[in-house]
Amino acid sequence: MNLSDITLDREGLAAAIACEDAAFEAALREEAYRVKVATVGPEVYLRGLIEISNICAKNCLYCGIRRDIRCQRYELSEDEVLAAARVAAERRFGSVVIQGGERTDAAFIRKITRLLKAIKSIDTRDDPPLGITLSLGEQSREVYEEWFDAGAHRYLLRIESSNPDLYRKIHPAGHSYDRRLQALHDLKEIGYQAGTGAMIGMPFQTAEDMADDLLFYKKFDAPMVGMGPYNPHPETPLTLSGASFPSAERRFALGLKMIALLRLLMPDINIAAATALEVLDPRGREKGLLSGANVIMPNITPEEQMVKYNLYDRKTQLRDCPSSLDILSSQKIVIGYGRWGDSKHFHRRLSWIKSLSLTS
Ligand code: SAM
Ligand code: SF4
């Protein structure tokens, strides 16, 4: 297959995803990098990742911190979260992501609201206040509104798979595809930059499913996407089922290819190079950036707790240190220090909507 053969419809995307020719894959990644630089620029934006808790009420069949797995649970105190956010401010990351298991109890919800307000008042000297992304699963519309009003402006909620049948296979009863879609639409209507994504290289997943995931992001008009390779956790029902899935090498290549194809399909959105890439290749995120991604999330969770946020095999061995960013700087990657690095796509859509309401 040649680059000129790619069509950005279901059939063309699926053919590109299925093609394992290394020269084709390398040319695709180079083209996506070129498109990224031409549309959103050469910068990578940073979001300091704070893994607030591994306590989760959900039981997703692939996840190493699912409710029924036996592991040591933790929850960061408010002081610990604020200390991590101050590190992000000092290192001029521009933004933080607060991610954790899904909890809907009132104490947790109020804690997040207090934290959002406190993070917004952290002194960032000449930079804007820290931008905040949340990734705390499905919540009621009222809770999303409360958190938006308290200062969160982006929310990451993966669809995990846009194929409802596959979604059902990787989730237990009571986890609803329609509920997830509703949550995504609520986030968008409230005004968040609502990001989504899916796992890549899962059991039962076909090239057509992955093509549909890309087209789902386009149809949802996602301003940001955070997708990444599926990595097995030895004790999850999905792994224990024995269902087959692509090799680590193939999942890595697929992860980069999905980033590249998405950059061609949606040139001006924010695309994250996921941590799951780094687990498969020590320079995984850097290669993600060179394939069209423009966001990374250095982990700033206190180390003692970080090791307990064990979503999948080898995740806990990852460490982020200032020198890992120096490695990026030594490549042709420019780091957007001290900036939110919001999605250009989101702001273009917003000005378009505003212009419509002015003329109507
Ligand atoms: N609980 C929130 C949620 O599910 O949206 C946020 C935390 S959850 C751990 C973040 C993401 O981890 C999920 O969206 C899922 O795609 C990813 N994840 C979980 N298990 C994984 C696995 N085995 N391989 C790759 N990604 C995984
Ligand atoms: Fe909980 Fe998120 Fe893991 Fe599902 S993916 S079990 S919601 S932490």
Side-chain angles (χ1 to χ4, degrees), residues 62-63 99-100 102 135 137 158 160 199 229-231 309 311-312:
Y62 43 83
C63 177
Q99 190 187 80
E102 187 174 306
S135 178
R158 286 182 173 179
E160 310 296 359
M199 284 177 287
Y230 162 74
N231 289 323
Y309 199 80
L311 303 183
Y312 41 74

Side-chain angles (χ1 to χ4, degrees), residues 3 81 121 183 185 207 230 246 283 285 293 311 316 347:
L3 265 192
V81 174
S121 60
H185 284 288
Y230 162 74
R283 301 186 90 158
R285 284 179 306 186
L311 303 183
T316 54
H347 288 294

Side-chain angles (χ1 to χ4, degrees), residues 36 40 44-47 49 97 99 133 154 156 158 195-198 200 217 223-229 255-256 258-260 262-263 269-278 284-298 341 343:
K36 169 182 91 160
V40 294
V44 53
Y45 295 104
L46 308 174
R47 283 87 174 89
L49 176 63
V97 181
Q99 190 187 80
T133 308
R154 310 183 194 107
L156 181 61
R158 286 182 173 179
T196 190
I200 299 163
Y217 310 143
M224 58 186 207
V225 170
M227 55 184 174
L256 298 184
M258 289 289 279
I259 290 175
L262 183 59
R263 180 58 72 195
I269 67 168
N270 275 355
I271 305 177
T275 311
L277 283 174
E278 198 92 342
R285 284 179 306 186
E286 178 188 330
K287 291 179 183 174
L289 295 173
L290 295 172
S291 304
N294 67 330
V295 169
I296 57 168
M297 303 190 285
S343 154

